[in-house]
Every structure is written in C-alpha cells, then in structure tokens.
Amino acid sequence: MKNKLLSIFILFFLFNSCTTEDAERSKALVNIYLVDSTVSFEEIWVELLGVEVQVTGTRGQDNANPEFLPYTPSEKKVNLSALLAGNQLLVGRGEFMLGAITKMTLKLGTDNYILRKGVRTPLVFKDSEGASPSVSGNFNLSPGISHDYYLDLNLDPSAAAGSGINRTINPKIKAFSKLETGEIGGTLVPRGLKAILFAIQNSDTIRTSVDSLDAGKFLFRGLNGKYVLLIHPTDVSYKQVKVDSVLAVPGKSTALGNITLEKIKP
C-alpha cells in the first residue's frame, strides 16, 4: 500500500512539474521602456498612464485581447527631456504567450506641458487619437529570455510649433528592440554646449540632442548599419561637425568617445 501511495505521489509530482515547466516555456517576459530623442531644450512633461500590448492569438492571428500594462508610480508626470543619452523609463512589464507583439499603444493623460524658466505652457492634443499613439510591427517572443522593447515618443515637430496660451501636439512613437538594433554614442566637448545631432542613412534621418545635465553626452538608439553623423551646435560661434561611416551593430553600442567642437575663427 505504501509503495502504491509513493508511486501515485511521484507521478503527481512529475505531472505537476511538467505542467509548470510547459507553462513557463509557453510564455515570455516583456519589459517596455520609454525613451526620447527630443531636440527641445525646454522641459517637456507628459502624463503617462501605461501601454497597451496586442499579441498574436490562436493560429498566429490578431484575435487575442490587448493587455494593458499600467504605469504604476503614483506620480504619472514624466519629463521627456530627461530620457536622453541612455536614460530610460520602465513603462510596464508583463508575461505574454509565445508568438509576436503586433501593436503597442502608449496611453497618455491630459496633463501635458512645456516648462521653460518656470513658465508652464499647456500641450493639447491635435485630436482624440493623440492620447493613444501606436506603432505596429512583428516583435517575436521567444522562451527563456527577457524581451526589452523601447518606445521612442516624439513630440518635437508639433510641440515646437504654435504660440500663445497653449501648443498643439500630435504624438508619434516608434518601437525597437535592443537585441535587433544598435546604438551610437559619445560626448561633446566642451561640455555644456547645446547641439542638435542627426544620424543619416540614405533618406532616413534620426535626430537627438545632448543630455539635460550639461554633461555633453548623446546617444542614438534603434539603429542598424552605417550612418553619417552631423552635429550642429546651437552656439553659432562653433563649427558644425560631420562624422562619416559610423557603424551601428545590433545588440552593441558604438562608442565615439569625445568629439571636440571648435570655435569659428574671427
């Protein structure tokens, strides 16, 4: 009788272990981060609510219900200008069935504004869709690894336009994986100079600026292949700089070190 009970216990343990392992192998952990490549030298604050994730359902079809990952801190307002030069913000984390993420939608509140020298200028959405900028794709989910995806929120073209008591914004986002794309970074010298930087590949141009701490650091993310970098100091007494054939390798960061900006001779 004891041997029979022992056999039943062993079978139950093995079945439960296999079931648990199968469940773990059928899911993937996903971390979604917010980054920014703003070229504004003002503080841009947005109210961040979370991110909605759409994954493939049965037979690879987009028939699964989207899952909302809330931004959990009690303080929902985030300074986009601080998410430069390698800084990032975890928006949400969750487990999803293996397959692919087909769409990510950032959810924003209505308390958004620009802060410059203590003066607050409200940002209002161009239309109702502005509060839910989305990006579609095919981001594969594999077992056994933690997937990090990045959402680059761009407000610049619309936030910089307009004047008066408020400005209209039409938020756009792009998404990328750190494993599938590379980075290019460096430091502008002398530190404290403001500059707008461009990474150019054929007809594709990505912009960014230096960090908000006057350390002169910059970082382009979500790149793949060779780029030409153009550096435009906002101080017109300094020369523009061009760096040719900079290679971005998926899963790696290309460090350019210090890039010295020279003054224009009178």
Side-chain angles (χ1 to χ4, degrees):
M1 184 66 179
K2 289 183 178 179
N3 289 337
K4 186 176 181 179
L5 289 175
L6 180 61
S7 298
I8 292 173
F9 174 78
I10 292 173
L11 288 172
F12 175 79
F13 176 77
L14 291 174
F15 175 78
N16 189 60
S17 298
C18 291
T19 302
T20 302
E21 290 176 2
D22 289 343
E24 290 176 351
R25 285 197 296 264
S26 66
K27 291 185 177 182
L29 177 64
V30 174
N31 303 303
I32 299 179
Y33 296 91
L34 182 66
V35 298
D36 189 43
S37 56
T38 179
V39 297
S40 173
F41 300 111
E42 305 164 321
E43 292 184 14
I44 300 180
W45 291 81
V46 296
E47 185 180 9
L48 181 60
L49 304 181
V51 59
E52 187 178 83
V53 180
Q54 176 73 57
V55 298
T56 51
T58 56
R59 299 183 180 180
Q61 301 299 312
D62 293 340
N63 57 2
N65 292 324
E67 182 173 342
F68 179 67
L69 304 178
Y71 180 58
T72 57
S74 57
E75 176 52 67
K76 304 297 183 185
K77 288 187 285 295
V78 174
N79 181 11
L80 289 182
S81 306
L83 300 180
L84 293 166
N87 296 316
Q88 59 196 37
L89 180 73
L90 180 64
V91 179
R93 173 183 288 130
E95 284 189 330
F96 297 90
M97 298 298 293
L98 300 183
I101 295 176
T102 58
K103 187 176 183 180
M104 288 182 274
T105 303
L106 200 62
K107 296 295 184 178
L108 303 174
T110 57
D111 191 8
N112 309 302
Y113 55 90
I114 291 175
L115 190 63
R116 183 179 185 184
K117 296 181 180 180
V119 178
R120 177 168 163 162
T121 303
L123 299 173
V124 296
F125 296 121
K126 180 180 178 180
D127 50 42
S128 59
E129 296 180 357
S132 301
S134 65
V135 57
S136 298
N138 186 30
F139 305 98
N140 292 322
L141 300 177
S142 303
I145 62 173
S146 177
H147 298 265
D148 294 339
Y149 294 109
Y150 296 81
L151 297 180
D152 186 349
L153 177 60
N154 185 5
L155 299 180
D156 276 347
S158 49
S163 60
I165 60 173
N166 57 48
R167 296 186 186 181
T168 301
I169 57 173
N170 186 25
K172 304 292 183 183
I173 59 172
K174 67 176 183 178
F176 59 89
S177 163
K178 200 168 185 177
L179 288 176
E180 298 173 353
T181 61
E183 301 175 343
I184 297 174
T187 303
L188 301 186
V189 179
R191 291 175 171 82
L193 285 177
K194 304 297 184 184
I196 301 173
L197 300 96
F198 302 86
I200 303 171
Q201 184 185 69
N202 300 321
S203 60
D204 185 25
T205 300
I206 299 173
R207 302 184 305 166
T208 191
S209 58
V210 293
D211 68 337
S212 59
L213 300 177
D214 291 334
K217 295 180 180 180
F218 69 89
L219 183 70
F220 288 100
R221 316 189 213 208
L223 308 183
N224 194 351
K226 283 187 178 181
Y227 291 81
V228 173
L229 300 190
L230 296 180
I231 303 170
H232 295 267
T234 57
D235 186 337
V236 295
S237 65
Y238 283 85
K239 297 179 181 179
Q240 299 180 9
V241 175
K242 180 181 179 183
V243 185
D244 290 311
S245 300
V246 184
L247 183 62
V249 180
K252 296 184 179 180
S253 182
T254 301
L256 299 180
N258 291 337
I259 298 176
T260 301
L261 302 179
E262 299 179 356
K263 276 203 167 186
I264 299 174
K265 295 180 180 180

